Amino acid sequence: MAAITLTVNGKSRTVNTDPTTPLLYVLRDDLELNGPRFGCGLSQCGACTVILNGAAVRSCTLPVSGAQGKSITTLEGLGSVAHPHVLQKAFVEEQAAQCGFCMNGIIMNAKVLLDKNSNPSVADIKQALANVLCRCGSHLRVIRAIQRAAREKA
Amino acid sequence: MRDTTISRRELLKGTGALVISFSLLSPLSRAFAQGAGATNLEPEATSLDSWLAVAADGTVTVSTSKVDLGTGVVTALSQIVAEELDVPFHSIHMETGDTAQTIDQAATVGSATIARGGPQLRQAAAAARQELLKLASAKLQAPVEKLTVSDGVVTVAGDATKKTSYAELIGGKRFNVKITATGTGGGMKVAPEVIAKDPKNYKIVGTSAPRVDLPPKFTGEFIYTADVRVPGMLHGRVVRPATVNTKPTSVDESSIKNIAGVVKVVQEGNFVGVVAQTEWAAIQAAKALKVTWSAPEHKYPSTKEEVFDYLKNTKSARDQAVVSRGDSDAAISQGGKTFEATYHWPFQLHGMLGPSCSVADVQANAATIWAGSQGTFNTRRQVASLLGMPEKSVRVIYREGAGCYGRLSPDDVPLDAALMSRAVGKPVRVQWMRDDEHGWEPKGPAQLLSVRAAVDGGGKVAAWEFVDRSFPWTENGNPLLAARQVGHDATSTGNGNGNGGGGQIYRFDNQKVVASMIPWVWPDPMPLRTSNLRAPGDVARCFASESALDEIAALLRVDPVAFRLRYLADQRIIDVLNAAAKQARWNARPSPGTASGGSKVTGRGVAVANRDETMTAAIAGVEVDRASGKITVQRVTLAQDCGLIVNPDGVKNQIEGNVIQGVSRALLEEVKFDASGIKTLDWVSYPILHFPDVPEIDVVLVDRKDLPPNGSGEPSLVPVPAAIANAVFDATGVRLREVPMTPERVLAALKAGPQSSELLPRV
């Protein structure tokens, strides 16, 4: 066990944990952040995605020690129902989900995409989400929501 | 965020009054608590108060055992209740799936929630409205006939100053009114004598009300099953063998002694699990724990060929004649020409994106379970049976899981959690790992489907014989894994292989459609255990029957749409087929089309289906790369008639999802296995459709305001694989009779060439 200090959604948080613990479990169980989700534990589905120093990373396989000193943003860090991020708002407007379990991965990857490319094409969006899985089949709505967010952000 | 729905100690002692702080009460209790005070009496269907409550602020809390599985159905139910009560849609709060707070209206299965649960809630709301108008009549001293209601405000016609509101009339108080409720579950008739609103006056039903569950799902504020945390909770993981009911001959606890935080290795019968202080410790320990399993007592199928041989050669347990008209045997032996083909459908996964998860808190005489079960009352029965408790001592609280498409009926993991919680005397959260879920979820079963048809001299289909040989949709008796492992047969939640068939939507003079249920002979559940997978059975049946019909149309050189219209009997299917053809600008001509010289060829295909009286027609446009064998589905047009549409955007959302899942299942999905177990244990070995391969989707809604609303969660998946297979034929001239239509199979089919260019002469 070790004391590990993380910067999560702009705040400094210290947890006492096994440093090999994947970041996901620290975020969920120690910090009670439900945005990042366990889908596979294998970096295959994307449900656990967080933004680490501007890059989308899969927190289910990243040891928490590797996140020390870096800026971590989770879905909660984007916004809330009361004060939604432009992406979250666009997803509501497009009704872009069914069960919503994959939405963390989709929105976090979309955030990184829009930060780099303010006007992505459909092909850009599909490429950015190529390895994020959605089982319910909300893909087309997701694409529309990201396009809407890009428009409204502009 | 902690889940504080229940204060377990107080509620579950079962003695004395409830002492729960206000914030811990559920909305229904909260509504009552403002008035007459909460009780923990079991709800009764004949009490109006069991169905809904009006709070002092006018909020209407509705209790239902129907749950949202991520399809948005609870939003639609809210619309139905708001409509009937004449209250704003946003004033409805749904309390779903809590066995202590709801009436058992049957599990959320089979696209039946709107069709069967909807009328139950509508009638309860109509009964409440009737009661509220009685109260208003007394208060305003005006006859009921003179009262109008808008947004929960009752006004005397012609005198706008005379008014009151539902909140003033009953807010925070019980109705204390008995209503009629006869029958049980989905068949329960609730207040049937109360006259409900005429659908032509609907203002809320029929609109695309935004889903109530979505905003917090985009922010991390939504509480899924996996997010439930209760004080003192530990983490558990299961350790499963390759085939269940092999025995752990040795469990070497020293193998995990270096992992800090392990609380207990739980072994009960053949069940093995690990409980730890932290999730990571539990994961590591479950992985590292050295367990030696005995060899399986039975030899399980080691290839899919063995499974299909088994389906072909095993005596069926039940033959259900879905259609039996004329004498198809005689007609086929006398017919001019005959057609015969066999189609294969593989085992497929539900593939929940989030694996099974549950939290259990088992005390000496009572238990609380948080679960994503489709039927929380089924789960309650199964947990109570396993623990040897009366059902009333077990409370199952619903929290939504990942979309499950039939997988959480049955829901295995609450039993795992209950066993582990009982063993450590503390609440335990158990989440399956990805390989647990891929390996042990009960799967959509393989199907072997065969068609024989005869065509007379005039090119008319004179006989049609369709036989589906398949496993029960739910494993025989449907025991849950942990129950089997501890030697306890949990209560059956049913089995069967459905009552659908192939080609029964067409009318042929001689027609025989049979569903033959082939049982597994092994006494133990195996990794190829089964359960209902979205539109169970019908997807494969439609794939076979609509492919066969297409093959016959092609052999007769008739346009596939025109050919279907010759034999369709139901005007509603005819209408959806025409609607889809119009929208897709169907180019009438026989298949196959004329392939261009290049590597990439395109084609279009059609299929139609009737799934429990929801009608669908799919037209797929595909591109096939003859060099690589890859099929790209470019566009799917899907027309659907599900009766009166409660929420058009909700229905569209379901259709889009079904089309995408249908494409995925048609092109990519197959569970692979050998005798030692499942080999496709992750998303790489069992791929699903990724973003770049998702087709454009064009939805056509055929709204039938003259019909009652019917289900929409499953039906539009049914025709999709068949439409794709028919489009591939149209593009290439070769026929794929086995799913998934992988590049390897496409290349093999192209190499083999067209199956035959003519109907077989009678021999």
Side-chain angles (χ1 to χ4, degrees), chain A residues 1 16-22 24-25 27-42 44-47 60 74-85 87-104 106-107 122-123 125-144 146, chain B residues 1-2 69-72 209-229 235 237 260 278-280 283-284 349-355 400-403 405 429 431-435 533-534 648-650 652-658 660-661 664-665 669 681-686 688-697:
Chain A
M1 300 295 267
N16 192 29
T17 190
D18 171 354
T20 69
T21 306
L24 174 67
Y25 304 110
L27 294 173
R28 290 186 55 82
D29 298 337
D30 295 291
L31 303 182
E32 299 194 2
L33 293 165
N34 293 330
R37 321 204 65 80
F38 178 86
C40 65
L42 305 164
Q44 291 177 354
C45 74
C60 72
T74 72
L75 186 61
E76 289 89 343
L78 264 55
S80 62
V81 171
H83 302 286
H85 183 271
L87 268 164
Q88 292 164 325
K89 201 164 147 276
F91 273 68
V92 173
E93 279 158 1
E94 294 292 340
Q95 294 285 290
Q98 288 188 28
C99 84
F101 205 89
C102 67
M103 281 298 142
N104 172 70
I106 284 177
I107 293 175
V122 169
I125 295 170
K126 285 184 171 178
Q127 197 47 48
L129 298 176
N131 291 310
V132 180
L133 300 183
C134 163
R135 183 55 163 164
C136 295
S138 302
H139 304 69
L140 298 176
R141 287 165 182 256
V142 162
I143 293 167
R144 289 200 293 272
I146 296 170
Chain B
M1 196 181 293
R2 293 195 177 271
L69 303 170
T71 65
R211 281 186 37 186
V212 293
D213 57 324
L214 287 189
K217 285 180 170 175
F218 299 130
T219 63
E221 290 162 274
F222 190 86
I223 301 294
Y224 291 90
T225 332
D227 305 323
V228 171
R229 298 182 185 93
H235 292 273
R237 286 296 183 276
T278 66
E279 200 168 0
W280 182 232
I283 291 167
Q284 289 176 291
L349 294 183
H350 302 78
M352 291 197 297
L353 196 76
E400 193 175 319
Y405 330 107
R429 173 186 184 273
Q431 183 169 274
W432 285 14
M433 300 303 284
R434 178 47 53 194
D435 57 343
L533 169 56
R534 207 170 193 179
D649 190 60
K652 276 184 82 171
N653 200 348
Q654 284 304 293
I655 292 174
E656 290 166 18
N658 269 318
I660 289 168
Q661 223 171 72
S664 184
R665 286 174 66 183
E669 300 185 30
L681 295 172
D682 62 17
W683 293 118
V684 172
S685 54
Y686 188 93
I688 59 174
L689 203 69
H690 286 219
F691 264 91
D693 296 320
V694 167
E696 290 300 313
I697 300 171

